[in-house]
Amino acid sequence: MLDIAVAYNRYKFIGYEFLTWLWFAIERSPGSLQSQSGDSGNISIGNRIVLENFTKDKTESITIKGDDPNLDAALLSLKNGALVTEINLVYKFNEQEWQFTLNGESFAITNLKTPQRGPVDTLEDTEGAVLEKAYLLEQILQYKDFLFNTFIHLRVSRAWKEKLIPELKNWVSEP
């Protein structure tokens, strides 16, 4: 049986590959990122992306941030062997918007902003507001799980090496 620390270090690349694939899928085939129920939500890159290039001697980190960031430097980093380690995403569904950062190493969601809700005026409204907030949190967690399951099915399939890796390489090397 693997020690937890050994397993963690051995397989943490999966999260980085997931986020790199997610960026590619958002750019190339956003339709493939619709949930199982066929919901027509829209996911896009938010205002921050972090890439790391792991070499034998050192780790190089590149952060691109800002509203509507220019991702050319990030693509150049991918070309040089970097992987996405953290990405800020915006998910829009039914006139609602979630913004959050997804960490590739821990799969943690941070900086979550759920859709705006109305004000809580009375004590009775508080319970409803808490339940609604929990529901909105559950929606984004289910969507994250859907995205990861989609990735894992691709990652273990023959299509990963035969189709997706060449497509990723073409995407990175395009001018």
Side-chain angles (χ1 to χ4, degrees):
M1 184 162 179
L2 281 177
D3 179 74
I4 191 74
V6 173
Y8 173 79
N9 286 320
R10 184 179 294 171
Y11 298 111
K12 70 180 178 180
F13 74 92
I14 293 290
Y16 304 150
E17 285 186 1
F18 166 57
L19 295 183
T20 304
W21 166 83
L22 184 57
W23 178 18
F24 166 75
I26 288 169
E27 296 284 327
R28 288 301 174 109
S29 57
S32 68
L33 303 177
Q34 291 182 355
S35 69
Q36 301 100 325
S37 60
D39 298 334
S40 58
N42 179 31
I43 190 163
S44 59
I45 305 296
N47 59 10
R48 186 171 184 267
I49 187 167
V50 178
L51 299 100
E52 290 186 10
N53 195 349
F54 304 96
T55 61
K56 196 176 193 181
D57 302 335
K58 62 182 176 185
T59 299
E60 192 175 68
S61 181
I62 299 97
T63 302
I64 311 290
K65 60 183 177 177
D67 294 332
D68 196 26
N70 183 347
L71 298 176
D72 291 341
L75 281 170
L76 182 60
S77 295
L78 285 179
K79 189 181 236 181
N80 291 328
L83 292 171
V84 179
T85 58
E86 200 172 290
I87 192 167
N88 183 267
L89 299 166
V90 178
Y91 178 61
K92 295 178 183 177
F93 176 70
N94 285 345
E95 299 177 23
Q96 296 178 322
E97 180 179 294
W98 291 260
Q99 186 169 358
F100 59 98
T101 300
L102 191 54
N103 183 297
E105 188 171 323
S106 64
F107 291 94
I109 290 179
T110 58
N111 303 322
L112 175 63
K113 294 179 185 169
T114 57
Q116 294 293 328
R117 308 318 310 151
V120 177
D121 296 327
T122 66
L123 190 56
E124 290 80 31
D125 292 343
T126 304
E127 181 180 352
V130 169
L131 290 173
E132 186 175 23
K133 198 64 137 171
Y135 171 74
L136 293 171
L137 176 60
E138 180 64 24
Q139 280 188 302
I140 204 64
L141 290 173
Q142 286 178 355
Y143 186 63
K144 178 191 82 161
D145 290 346
F146 162 75
L147 292 173
F148 186 68
N149 285 334
T150 301
F151 165 75
I152 285 298
H153 286 305
L154 282 170
R155 183 64 176 86
V156 299
S157 72
R158 295 179 110 191
W160 181 258
K161 284 186 179 176
E162 294 173 1
K163 186 177 179 213
L164 243 52
I165 293 295
E167 286 179 12
L168 273 161
K169 287 180 180 179
N170 287 338
W171 171 64
V172 168
S173 63
E174 286 178 354

